[in-house]
Amino acid sequence: MEGAAVAILAVYAAAVTGAVAVGVVCWRRRRGTPAAYSMLVVMTGIIWWSLTEMIAHAANSPTVTRAGFALFPIALPILVLGFHLTVRYLIDPRYVPSRRVIAILGGNLLLVVLAVLLPHTRELVVGTFDFQPGGGWWHPGPLFWIEVVVALALLGWSGALELRAARHTSATHRAQLLTNLSGALVPSVGMLISTTIIIRNGNAWPLDALDWTALGWLFTCLLDLWSLDTQGLMATVPIARGLILEELGSAVYVFDTRDGMSDVNAAGRRLLADAGVEADDLLGASRVDLLALLGARPGSETGELVLSATRNPVREVELRDTPLHSGKRPIGSAVVLRDITGVNQSRRELALANTRLRHQLQTIEELRSELAEQAVRDSLTGLHNRRYLDERLALAIEDAQATDESVSLVVLDIDLFKAVNDQHGHMVGDQVLVAVARALAQRARHAETITRFGGEEFVLVLPGVGFDAAMERARELQTAVDHTLVPTEVGPLRVTVSGGVATAPLHAADPESLIRVADEALYRAKSWGRNRVTGAGLSRSSADLG
């Protein structure tokens, strides 16, 4: 087989392969997409056309060649049927073929099939052959030419429908329609070229020549594959805009350039009917009349209206007034009223819920702060407790180390407190603790921390205070307590305190050690007679005897 013959067969084979590939993609995307099925019909026609011509071209037998050319005309009505339905479904996926369309396209396919199969009419379609060594000629019959004219006419009709739809649709939809049209136009040109060759040869086609239509089919398949992949063909087929307008949940009112209402969708009719007005009676009315009949007044937000004339509860709507143009020429405007009653109600409920939530969070925060404060407060005296002391003393020592300053600790203990409890009872003992705590708290200075350490012990943290100043401060507090009379049920009661003082970093470098050193000083003061203050490292002779 010569190189030219192999190349011709390769073109037919490529067209068949491309049609199969497009068909597979269409089959996978067939769900909810009628155009996928019609494109499968087109691909079937391409496969039929290319395969029969390939068999006829490759055969060395006149019988096989004659059979191939006899079957190949059936591809024409198949292609016409598939292309027309594809155009219709791309324009409107809900298209239902009319009886006239079914009669024309179906009848055309049936007549060609019968003409090819019936012996008396087969030669009128297939014609005759003049076989010669290495080639020969095919002379198509008159019915073949009639089918070519019918097919081109029907393709032209479908193309005109597609062009008209492309002028009045979105850019994406227009690109899909024009791509599909191009896929049909190129093989149509190829068919015209091949037809011209037959006519110029005196109704004769060389059996060893390439049918230019097959090249067109290859282009169609490649273009369809590109469109399926890039343009979203079969995946995003746009719906007719008139259908979308009618299915919109928002009320749409169309006004002409003289501000007269010229059209209204189903939702707009329902809204007017709810206000007791027939939409047809309002045609020609202005938008002011429309809004007045609906009882419109400004809403809470810009662009919102409240409609009070409807039978149902008062509605809130969002108004949008959009100019309409045909090219650059204004042709009117569309007023869209979107019901936002539920949205606004939800928004108000959400705002109320947010307010309640903020109040609850504020209450929770207050309770949390109160609980946190209670956790570091002594319930009897109201002073801070041991937990708070541990935190404050650690921070004070850390700050003192960072600034190279001192921090002092004063430990005060009520003298003979056990005897108070034993003689007067624990209730009087509690009153003594409260009175001593009040006396210390009233004399507390800024930055000082006074805590109840436990039992009858009180601890003061003095940040930035040296040892000598801390001793003086402890004596002041000891004297203040000594002058305090505690009112009790058994009469005024006078108590005294003893104190121990220690300073960091002079006597200790950590909280635990500082408390221990101050506590040791306290117990020395106790053992030396009570009602006195002494400091870490001081001898008895240096103690303040009060």
Side-chain angles (χ1 to χ4, degrees):
M1 186 177 291
E2 296 181 356
V6 173
I8 292 172
L9 291 176
V11 171
Y12 292 135
V16 171
T17 303
V20 170
V22 174
V24 169
V25 176
C26 290
W27 180 255
R28 290 176 177 174
R29 299 184 183 180
R30 68 189 185 280
R31 187 181 300 275
T33 310
Y37 293 100
S38 59
M39 279 198 72
L40 282 171
V41 175
V42 173
M43 294 305 118
T44 300
I46 293 176
I47 293 172
W48 188 294
W49 184 301
S50 304
L51 199 57
T52 52
E53 285 202 333
M54 183 171 64
I55 292 172
H57 195 88
N60 293 321
S61 166
T63 302
V64 176
T65 299
R66 184 178 287 105
F69 275 98
L71 293 174
F72 130 81
I74 297 176
L76 265 174
I78 294 175
L79 287 162
V80 169
L81 171 65
F83 178 67
H84 184 83
L85 291 179
T86 299
V87 169
R88 291 287 196 174
Y89 288 134
L90 286 179
I91 294 173
D92 183 0
R94 299 191 181 187
Y95 169 72
V96 177
S98 65
R99 292 181 180 179
R100 183 171 65 93
V101 170
I102 294 174
I104 293 173
L105 300 179
N108 180 46
L109 174 60
L110 180 62
L111 288 174
V112 172
V113 171
L114 290 175
V116 169
L117 295 180
L118 293 175
H120 300 294
T121 56
R122 184 181 302 132
E123 188 173 336
L124 294 175
V125 179
V126 180
T128 60
F129 293 86
D130 181 11
F131 293 105
Q132 298 174 6
W137 299 88
W138 169 50
H139 306 283
L143 291 183
F144 172 80
W145 289 110
I146 293 175
E147 175 57 25
V148 168
V149 173
V150 170
L152 289 174
L154 293 176
L155 288 173
W157 173 38
S158 303
L161 291 175
E162 200 159 26
L163 275 176
R164 186 174 64 182
R167 292 178 56 190
H168 305 287
T169 188
S170 64
T172 301
H173 193 195
R174 183 182 301 112
Q176 292 178 350
L177 292 174
L178 293 180
T179 299
N180 184 67
L181 182 60
S182 300
L185 183 62
V186 172
S188 297
V189 172
M191 186 165 63
L192 287 174
I193 293 174
S194 296
T195 301
T196 303
I197 293 174
I198 296 174
I199 294 173
R200 292 183 63 180
N201 289 330
N203 195 36
W205 173 259
L207 296 177
D208 58 351
L210 169 67
D211 181 5
W212 289 90
T213 313
L215 272 177
W217 295 136
L218 179 57
F219 172 83
T220 299
C221 295
L222 294 175
L223 188 64
D224 286 342
L225 286 172
W226 173 83
S227 181
L228 288 164
D229 179 64
T230 304
Q231 294 182 321
L233 191 67
M234 303 300 157
T236 54
V237 179
I239 300 174
R241 287 185 295 173
L243 179 62
I244 293 177
L245 181 66
E246 201 61 25
E247 294 295 327
L248 277 177
S250 300
V252 180
Y253 303 95
V254 180
F255 292 86
D256 57 27
T257 54
R258 294 174 295 179
D259 196 33
M261 193 172 79
S262 58
D263 198 5
V264 55
N265 72 343
R269 291 177 180 275
R270 289 193 297 270
L271 184 60
L272 287 172
D274 198 33
V277 180
E278 289 293 331
D280 293 339
D281 296 337
L282 204 59
L283 292 177
S286 68
R287 71 194 67 203
V288 174
D289 296 334
L290 168 68
L291 296 178
L293 285 170
L294 293 173
R297 53 184 173 83
S300 57
E301 301 289 338
T302 303
E304 294 185 4
L305 297 174
V306 176
L307 308 182
S308 57
T310 56
R311 297 193 188 99
N312 290 329
V314 174
R315 295 188 185 184
E316 297 174 77
V317 297
E318 178 187 56
L319 182 145
R320 291 189 180 181
D321 195 342
T322 305
L324 301 177
H325 295 83
S326 177
K328 295 183 178 181
R329 182 173 62 87
I331 58 174
S333 60
V335 173
V336 180
L337 300 180
R338 184 172 71 92
D339 194 332
I340 56 173
T341 307
V343 173
N344 281 356
Q345 181 63 26
S346 298
R347 186 171 60 189
R348 286 190 287 267
E349 291 175 356
L350 181 60
L352 181 59
N354 284 335
T355 301
R356 290 174 179 170
L357 180 60
R358 282 196 297 270
H359 289 161
Q360 290 173 354
L361 290 175
Q362 183 178 353
T363 301
I364 292 171
E365 180 61 25
E366 291 172 354
L367 290 173
R368 189 198 65 80
S369 299
E370 184 178 340
L371 288 173
E373 184 66 16
Q374 289 176 0
V376 295
R377 288 282 181 182
D378 175 55
S379 60
L380 177 63
T381 64
L383 297 179
H384 287 109
N385 59 18
R386 173 67 183 270
R387 176 185 295 180
Y388 187 78
L389 171 66
D390 291 341
E391 296 175 359
R392 295 301 302 167
L393 182 57
L395 289 173
I397 292 177
E398 185 179 333
D399 291 343
Q401 290 172 347
T403 58
D404 198 22
E405 293 182 347
S406 299
V407 57
S408 295
L409 195 73
V410 176
V411 180
L412 298 175
D413 186 271
I414 301 175
D415 296 328
L416 301 173
F417 184 72
K418 184 176 182 301
V420 173
N421 278 332
D422 292 342
Q423 293 177 18
H424 304 289
H426 287 285
M427 185 174 294
V428 173
D430 287 347
Q431 292 174 348
V432 169
L433 289 171
V434 171
V436 171
R438 186 181 297 114
L440 295 175
Q442 288 174 349
R443 290 163 179 80
R445 296 175 181 174
H446 179 69
E448 291 182 350
T449 300
I450 302 178
T451 63
R452 183 186 177 192
F453 192 62
E456 66 271 24
E457 276 192 349
F458 299 88
V459 176
L460 287 83
V461 180
L462 311 177
V465 177
F467 181 65
D468 294 337
M471 287 291 295
E472 183 63 29
R473 180 77 177 118
R475 292 188 189 102
E476 292 175 2
L477 295 172
Q478 180 219 1
T479 302
V481 174
D482 187 36
H483 292 162
T484 299
L485 291 177
V486 181
T488 68
E489 294 178 356
V490 298
L493 186 66
R494 178 176 175 269
V495 294
T496 61
V497 295
S498 298
V501 179
T503 300
L506 179 62
H507 303 118
D510 60 87
E512 184 177 351
S513 299
L514 190 63
I515 292 174
R516 178 176 52 78
V517 172
D519 219 27
E520 290 172 354
L522 166 67
Y523 283 107
R524 285 200 303 276
K526 290 276 191 182
S527 65
W528 293 344
R530 301 184 183 88
N531 193 22
R532 67 191 64 212
V533 174
T534 189
L538 294 181
S539 63
R540 181 171 184 175
S541 60
S542 303
D544 183 359
L545 300 179

